[in-house]
Amino acid sequence: MAVILATISAAALSACNTATVSGGPGGSLSLGISQIPTGSGFDATGLMHSVDTGNGIIRAFANTSGSETVLAGTGTLGFSGDNGPAISAELNAPGGDAIDNWGDDVVADTYNSRIRIVAKSNRTKFGITMTAGDIYTLAGNGVFGYSGNGGAGTSAQLFLPGAVSSDNSGNIIVSDTYNNVIRVVAAVSGSYYGVSMAAGYIYTIAGIGTNGYSGDGGVATSAELSGPTGTTVDGSGNILVADTGNNTIRLIANVTATIYGQSMTAGDIYTIVGNGISGYSGDGGLATSAELNGPTGIAADSSHNIIVADTYNNAVRVFPGTTATYYGQSMTAGDIYTIAGDGNPGFAGDGGPASSAELDTPTGITMGPNHSIAISDSQNYRTRLISESHHVYFGVSMSNGDIYTIAGNGSSRDSGDGSAVAAAQLNGPQGVASTSNASTVVADSGNNRIRLVASTTGTFFGQSMTAGDMYTIAGNGEPGYSGDGGIGTSAELEDPNGVTVDGSGNIVIADGGNNVIRVLAITTSTFYGQSMAGGYIYTIAGDGVGAYFGDGGSATSAGINYPGQIDTDASGNVLIADAGNNVIRTVAATSGTFYGQSMTAGDIYTIAGNGIGQYSGDGSSATAASLNFPGGLTVDTTGNVLVADSSNNVVRVIAIATGTQYGQSMTAGDIYTLAGTGAAGSSGNGGSASSATFNDPSDLAIDQYGNIAISDTGNNQIRGYALNSGTYYGASATAGDVYLVAGTGTAGFGGDGSSWNYAEFDKPVGLAMDSSGDLLVADSSTNRVRKLTP
C-alpha cells in the first residue's frame, strides 16, 4: 500500500531522521495494558514489577494509582543495550524477575540465555560498577550450553534460564531450566551454601545437569532435576525449587534441622510437595502424596506457607508451614490446599472467591502487600491478586479471599485506544496510510483492527477524537468476518494486511484473512455502487472464499486469495495485490476503458499476472506474465502501476502508455522489471537497479518526482530507486540507480531520533508518504509505525 496525498520535495529523503509515531511497549493505567505476564515482584516502594514475556518488557505498576511505566525493554524481542539505559535494551522472552536487596530488578532473559540486572542506584555489586536505570548482564554469554562453574558469570553458558530469585545476602538464584540445575551468582564474595564464592562468579548448588528425578535425602549437587522453572528463598534461607518436569516442589536445606516436618541436613535436597505424578489430586491430604501438573511459580509468605502456581492444573495451591487458618481455609501443617482456580482453563471470577475463579496457565507467584498474592495468569494476559484483607490495591477496592485483575486487559498486544499514541500497543502492523489531514491509519493486523492516530481534534468516522491519540475505527479485535452494513468498530476483521485512503477520504481495507476488500465510509453517500453510512463498513470485492474467479463480473461475487497491499488510481479504481492468486486486479469505480480493458463500474478485472507463481513475461502483455506472491503496489505520477513482486525479489511496472519510461522503451499494457535481478540478496546500492538484489520487497511509495521507496522486508531496510539524477537519500544519485534510504540491515529496534543510517527495522512492510513529505513505515515485527523525517 502506498498513498500519495501530498508531495515530497526532491531533497525530502536526503537526510532522514527516524521516529516512532505509533506502537511500542505501552504506558498508561495497568488495566489498559496488553501483556503476556509470566512473573512479578514487589519492591520496597510498593511498585509491582511484571515480566511481559511476549512483548519483551519489564513493567512497573504503582499500587496507589495503577499507572504503568516501562523499566526495561523496547517491545522488540532481541538482545541489545547492555551497559546503557534499560528502556532502550532488547530482551528476548524474559521468563521471570526478582527484586534484590538493593532494589535492583534482576531478569531471567530466557531466550538470550542470560541473567540481566536493571540497576536501582549507582553502586558496585556482582563485581560491576552500575549506573541507575542501566542494564547489565550478570551471567550467560548468550550461547546455549552448560559451562563456567567457578568462573565469571558473564563467561558461563546457560540454557534457557526460566526464573530467578534473590536470597538474604543478595545473591541471585538461577533456575537454569534446560540444564536441569540451580545456580547462584554471588553478589559479594563470601561463603554461601557451603561453597566459597567470589562476587560476580557462578556456581551450581543443585542438580548434576541431566534430566531425571533422584537424590532426595542426599547432597543437592548429586541430585537430578527436570526443567526447574521457579525458585524462591523462605524465611529460614532454604531454597525452594519448582521442579517442573518432576511435578514436585523440592527444598535445598540451608541448615540442619527439622523443616516442614522432615529431618533435613544442610546442603541436601528433599521433596516437600508432590508425588512426581502429573495430575490434580490430594487437596486436604499430605502434600507429598498430592499430584501437581507442571508447577512453575513458587513463593513463601511470612508464616512459612509455600504458595505454588500449579500451572497446568490452572490452580494456585498452598502448603502450610503450621496448622492455622490461611487464605480463608483451616489448614493442617504438611497438607496441601487449593486457594485459587477451579481447575478449568478460562477467565472468570473477578470480584468473587478466588477458589471459584478460573485461571489459564498461571505461572509466576509473588507475595504482595498485606499477605496478598499476585498471580501471573499468563494465558488470560492478566496479573491477578488474591486479597488477604479489605483494602484498595491498584485502584481496586478488594475483599478478603476474593480475586481481582490488577494489570492487563486480556489481550497480548492491543491497548491504547483513546490515549496518547505513545501508550498504544500494536501487533504486527502490516499496512499504513495517511489521510488528507495527516492522520495516520494503521492496519493493526495481529489485533484484527484498523486504527487511526488523529492529527487534529474533531469528530471522524463517528468518533470524537483528540489530536495525538489513537482510536480503533474498524474491527472489534476478534478474528472473523461479520458486521457489513454496521458500525465499523463492531465488525470482525481477520488479519487485515493493507489499507489506503481513497479520493473521497474513505478507508479501503485489504481484509486478508477473509479474502475480501472492505470500505469504511467517511460520510453518508454512495460509494462503489453502494449506499453507505459514515463510520459503517461494507465489502466491495470478494465473496470470502480464497480462490481465483469472477473477472468481468461483480467484484463482490469474485474470488480473491489473501489480498496484500492496495491503492487507488487517479480514476478512483481500487488496485489490489491479489497475492495468493499471483495477480494484480482492479475494481472499476466507473465504467470506461482502463489499463487497455473496457470495464463496468463495480466489476473486477485482472490487469497483470496469469495466476502462475513464477517469474516471466517481461516486455509482453502484463496479463500473460507470471508474478510470484505480489505483496505491494502503488501508482506513479503518470499512472503506471508499480508492483512489489515479492517472492520474485523484483520491482516491476505495468506501463500506462507507450514511450520511454524509467529509461526503457515501453508499450502500454506490457510489464517490465525496474529493479532486482530476481535473486534474493542485499546488494547494488549506488549502482544500476537492474543489477541490485532484494529480499522479499513488500511495498512501495513514491514522491512527486517519481523516486520510489521500497520496503526491502527480508533485509530489514528501506531502499530507493532514483527516477532522475540528483541528490537523494543523502547521496548524489544517478537515474535508474538504487540507494539505501534507511536501516542497518540488522533486525531490531533502534535509531529513533537519529539519522536513518543508525536505524534498525525488523520486517518493515507497508509504506506511505504523508502530507509533510515524511515516509511512514509499518515496522511489523517491532509492532510500531515509524516515520522517516527529512
Side-chain angles (χ1 to χ4, degrees):
M1 179 285 312
V3 184
I4 306 174
L5 295 169
T7 58
I8 177 170
S9 71
L13 293 175
S14 64
C16 296
N17 287 329
T18 311
T20 295
V21 295
S22 168
S28 62
L29 292 178
S30 58
L31 296 180
I33 293 296
S34 299
Q35 54 180 307
I36 308 174
T38 55
S40 59
F42 286 83
D43 67 18
T45 67
L47 284 175
M48 184 184 74
H49 297 212
S50 177
V51 180
D52 185 356
T53 299
N55 290 309
I57 300 166
I58 308 300
R59 306 178 183 279
F61 297 103
N63 183 14
T64 52
S65 64
S67 62
E68 180 260 7
T69 56
V70 173
L71 296 178
T74 64
T76 299
L77 301 183
F79 175 69
S80 69
D82 262 4
N83 307 313
I87 58 173
S88 299
E90 290 177 337
L91 308 175
N92 197 352
D97 75 342
I99 313 301
D100 70 12
N101 291 4
W102 299 277
D104 310 303
D105 198 313
V106 184
V107 182
D109 194 359
T110 304
Y111 276 82
N112 282 323
S113 281
R114 290 176 164 92
I115 306 302
R116 301 171 82 181
I117 185 170
V118 181
K120 175 71 171 179
S121 59
N122 299 333
R123 186 186 294 268
T124 297
K125 44 195 173 281
F126 302 98
I128 302 170
T129 300
M130 300 183 183
T131 300
D134 286 0
I135 192 169
Y136 305 86
T137 292
L138 295 184
N141 61 10
V143 178
F144 293 4
Y146 183 36
S147 70
N149 276 322
T154 52
S155 299
Q157 292 178 328
L158 308 176
F159 196 172
L160 299 178
V164 288
S165 59
S166 180
D167 68 13
N168 297 331
S169 300
N171 304 307
I172 303 305
I173 316 298
V174 181
S175 295
D176 195 355
T177 305
Y178 280 80
N179 281 325
N180 304 295
V181 296
I182 305 299
R183 304 170 85 173
V184 169
V185 183
V188 295
S189 298
S191 181
Y192 311 102
Y193 310 105
V195 179
S196 180
M197 299 186 181
Y201 280 35
I202 194 168
Y203 305 85
T204 293
I205 60 168
I208 60 175
T210 59
N211 187 349
Y213 183 32
S214 68
D216 269 0
V219 177
T221 51
S222 298
E224 289 179 321
L225 307 175
S226 180
T229 52
T231 63
T232 195
V233 180
D234 70 11
S236 300
N238 305 299
I239 296 177
L240 304 170
V241 180
D243 194 1
T244 307
N246 284 323
N247 303 297
T248 58
I249 305 301
R250 301 174 84 177
L251 180 147
I252 305 164
N254 185 44
V255 294
T256 298
T258 297
I259 306 169
Y260 300 106
Q262 297 187 48
S263 178
M264 299 187 183
T265 301
D268 287 1
I269 194 169
Y270 303 85
T271 294
I272 58 172
V273 181
N275 62 9
I277 298 171
S278 174
Y280 186 27
S281 69
D283 272 357
L286 192 64
T288 50
S289 299
E291 293 176 335
L292 307 177
N293 191 356
T296 53
I298 186 170
D301 69 15
S302 58
S303 300
H304 294 280
N305 302 308
I306 297 170
I307 298 95
V308 180
D310 195 358
T311 303
Y312 296 107
N313 281 327
N314 303 296
V316 175
R317 304 173 83 178
V318 169
F319 172 65
T322 56
T323 298
T325 297
Y326 305 107
Y327 307 105
Q329 296 187 48
S330 177
M331 299 185 181
T332 301
D335 288 356
I336 193 170
Y337 303 84
T338 293
I339 61 167
D342 63 3
N344 297 309
F347 175 66
D350 265 7
S355 57
S356 301
E358 288 184 346
L359 309 174
D360 194 346
T361 321
T363 51
I365 290 284
T366 194
M367 300 308 302
N370 300 316
H371 298 278
S372 60
I373 300 173
I375 306 164
S376 296
D377 195 2
S378 65
Q379 293 308 297
N380 280 322
Y381 309 120
R382 294 170 167 92
T383 300
R384 302 169 81 180
L385 189 134
I386 304 171
S387 180
E388 185 63 358
S389 60
H390 296 280
H391 209 282
V392 175
Y393 301 115
F394 302 95
V396 180
S397 180
M398 301 187 180
S399 298
N400 185 24
D402 287 356
I403 192 169
Y404 304 84
T405 293
I406 57 173
N409 63 3
S411 173
S412 61
R413 290 189 185 93
D414 183 6
S415 69
D417 273 353
S419 300
V421 68
Q425 290 174 272
L426 307 176
N427 189 357
Q430 297 287 311
V432 63
S434 184
T435 68
S436 58
N437 70 348
S439 295
T440 299
V441 184
V442 184
D444 192 3
S445 306
N447 285 325
N448 303 298
R449 298 178 188 268
I450 304 300
R451 303 172 83 176
L452 183 142
V453 182
S455 63
T456 58
T457 298
T459 299
F460 310 101
F461 300 99
Q463 296 186 53
S464 177
M465 300 186 182
T466 300
D469 288 359
M470 173 173 269
Y471 302 85
T472 292
I473 56 174
N476 63 11
E478 295 296 323
Y481 182 33
S482 70
D484 270 359
I487 192 166
T489 52
S490 298
E492 290 179 333
L493 309 176
E494 186 162 351
D495 195 18
N497 294 317
V499 64
T500 194
V501 182
D502 69 15
S504 299
N506 303 303
I507 308 298
V508 187
I509 304 161
D511 193 358
N514 286 321
N515 304 299
V516 296
I517 307 300
R518 302 172 86 174
V519 167
L520 180 71
I522 184 68
T523 60
T524 298
S525 188
T526 298
F527 304 107
Y528 305 101
Q530 298 185 45
S531 179
M532 300 185 180
Y536 282 39
I537 195 169
Y538 305 85
T539 294
I540 62 165
D543 66 352
V545 177
Y548 183 34
F549 59 82
D551 271 359
S554 172
T556 54
S557 299
I560 297 173
N561 192 358
Y562 202 68
Q565 307 298 334
I566 51 178
D567 204 351
T568 57
D569 64 17
S571 299
N573 304 308
V574 177
L575 298 165
I576 306 164
D578 193 355
N581 284 325
N582 304 300
V583 296
I584 306 299
R585 300 170 88 178
T586 187
V587 179
T590 58
S591 297
T593 299
F594 309 102
Y595 306 104
Q597 299 183 48
S598 177
M599 299 186 181
T600 301
D603 287 0
I604 193 169
Y605 303 85
T606 294
I607 62 169
N610 58 13
I612 300 171
Q614 294 179 357
Y615 180 32
S616 69
D618 272 357
S620 61
S621 173
T623 53
S626 293
L627 309 176
N628 197 351
F629 206 80
L633 50 76
T634 193
V635 182
D636 71 13
T637 54
T638 59
N640 301 302
V641 179
L642 302 170
V643 179
D645 194 358
S646 304
S647 293
N648 281 327
N649 303 300
V650 295
V651 176
R652 302 173 84 173
V653 61
I654 306 164
I656 192 68
T658 298
T660 298
Q661 304 179 83
Y662 298 100
Q664 299 184 47
S665 177
M666 298 185 179
T667 301
D670 287 0
I671 194 168
Y672 303 84
T673 294
L674 290 187
T677 65
S682 177
S683 66
N685 287 331
S688 173
S690 60
S691 300
T693 58
F694 298 85
N695 189 356
D696 190 26
S698 296
D699 200 14
L700 310 165
I702 190 168
D703 67 25
Q704 73 179 72
Y705 294 92
N707 303 305
I708 305 166
I710 305 163
S711 57
D712 194 1
T713 304
N715 287 322
N716 302 300
Q717 293 179 326
I718 309 301
R719 299 170 76 183
Y721 173 99
L723 178 65
N724 299 302
S725 297
T727 299
Y728 311 109
Y729 319 122
S732 178
T734 301
D737 284 2
V738 165
Y739 294 86
L740 178 65
V741 177
T744 64
T746 299
F749 171 69
D752 268 8
S754 63
S755 180
W756 58 266
N757 50 310
Y758 294 108
E760 288 183 348
F761 298 89
D762 196 346
K763 302 295 184 293
V765 183
L767 300 178
M769 305 300 299
D770 72 12
S771 59
S772 299
D774 300 329
L775 179 64
L776 302 174
V777 182
D779 197 11
S780 63
S781 289
T782 74
N783 304 304
R784 289 170 166 85
V785 173
R786 304 175 76 186
K787 178 168 66 175
L788 304 181
T789 301

